[in-house]
Amino acid sequence: MHQIQIARALGAHVIAVTGDSTKVSRLEELGAFSVVVAQDGNYSADVWNKTGKKGVDVAMENLGSTLSQTLRATGMGGRIVVLGNIAPGSVEVSPGLLIGRRLRVQGSGSATLDEVSQSLAMIASGLVRPQIDRVMPFTQAAQAHALLEARQVNGRIILSGW
């Protein structure tokens, strides 16, 4: 949700992907020009078609397990930024696809102080609105994780110590 807002603030034409059709209107409200619903995790063909069979220039891979779909949805010279690893394990990567399309895959780790400053400036200016689903007491951390794993969250869960 935050990535959509940041990409739009930077002038990108955003295509969002979700496995839950109930999230479509929310993703559009946040700035997605179009949304692909892929309950089965197969979205590359839909994204490829939405781009006139050119593929996307930059893709944000949040799950890790869908990396092969993201690679196929990315066009010539595109970049894939891997941000998540929801289901740890191996994923299939086609070297021919990487070579043929000259794709660049990179990981994203902790933010630098400058990146945090830029993010706070985007929030302060209203370009990005924090998406907080709920605030829960720290004692309910296990329940919060269960909600995340069940994909029952739209935004962030904040754990509070008081």
Side-chain angles (χ1 to χ4, degrees), residues 112-133:
T112 65
L113 184 56
D114 185 51
E115 290 167 337
V116 171
S117 295
Q118 290 175 26
S119 297
L120 292 173
M122 291 179 95
I123 292 168
S125 70
L127 289 172
V128 174
R129 294 181 326 265
Q131 301 299 304
I132 300 170
D133 183 272

Side-chain angles (χ1 to χ4, degrees), residues 1 4 8 16-18 20-37 129 131 154:
M1 295 180 147
I4 292 169
R8 279 298 302 273
V17 176
T18 182
D20 184 348
S21 61
T22 65
K23 295 182 179 182
V24 171
S25 61
R26 183 74 179 123
L27 296 173
E28 290 172 339
E29 287 171 14
L30 291 169
F33 283 100
S34 61
V35 179
V36 172
V37 178
R129 294 181 326 265
Q131 301 299 304
N154 289 311

